[in-house]
Amino acid sequence: MTEGLYAIVVDPSKGLSIKHLPNGRASLNELYSIIDCDYVELSVLTDSLDLFVDEEGFVNGSANRVGVFQIQDADGERLGQVMYAGRGVILQNDAEFDDSIGFSKEEAENILKSLMIKTNIVY
């Protein structure tokens, strides 16, 4: 059942939030809308967490307009790349189907509590 699945949205200007995914997955068009971009890029944060970001964020103005960020775990360890530009969407990796899907609301809330974003990065 996919009616209650959620994504974690990363916005350097607003922080982390949870977004409901009615179909349990975020289509490319939905990712484009959430991130406000034309092309998305997948960055693997952990074995179970995928981050979708603006592929052209450093050249299309997202870095200046929205900001840049780094994802860190609760211990302050960096996950993924050194820096991302614009907004991002975190989904869970479903290895069985090689797909990215949403979290239950409880999982999303727990992950939200365990992640930090660092936004005062100079690029």
Side-chain angles (χ1 to χ4, degrees):
M1 186 168 184
T2 60
E3 293 174 28
L5 297 181
Y6 296 80
I8 297 169
V9 178
V10 182
D11 186 327
S13 61
K14 297 179 182 175
L16 297 167
S17 62
I18 297 174
K19 177 163 179 55
H20 182 249
L21 301 173
N23 296 320
R25 289 175 167 74
S27 68
L28 275 178
N29 286 334
E30 191 168 10
L31 287 171
Y32 296 151
S33 176
I34 295 169
I35 298 170
D36 189 22
C37 69
D38 295 321
Y39 303 100
V40 294
E41 178 179 7
L42 169 64
S43 181
V44 176
L45 296 178
T46 69
D47 289 343
S48 60
L49 296 179
D50 292 338
L51 172 68
F52 292 88
V53 293
D54 184 348
E55 183 176 307
E56 301 178 323
F58 286 107
V59 295
N60 68 12
S62 284
N64 295 325
R65 188 176 68 255
V66 181
V68 296
F69 67 93
Q70 207 178 70
I71 300 285
Q72 299 176 343
D73 65 15
D75 296 324
E77 294 294 321
R78 180 178 51 83
L79 304 176
Q81 297 176 13
V82 172
M83 170 180 2
Y84 301 99
R87 293 177 191 88
V89 175
I90 299 174
L91 297 169
Q92 67 178 316
N93 182 312
D94 183 353
E96 181 180 348
F97 295 102
D98 194 27
D99 196 6
S100 298
I101 60 172
F103 307 96
S104 71
K105 188 166 188 177
E106 183 179 344
E107 287 173 320
E109 288 170 347
N110 288 336
I111 291 168
L112 195 69
K113 292 175 189 173
S114 72
L115 295 178
M116 300 181 291
I117 61 170
K118 181 177 177 182
T119 59
N120 57 346
I121 305 168
V122 178
Y123 66 99

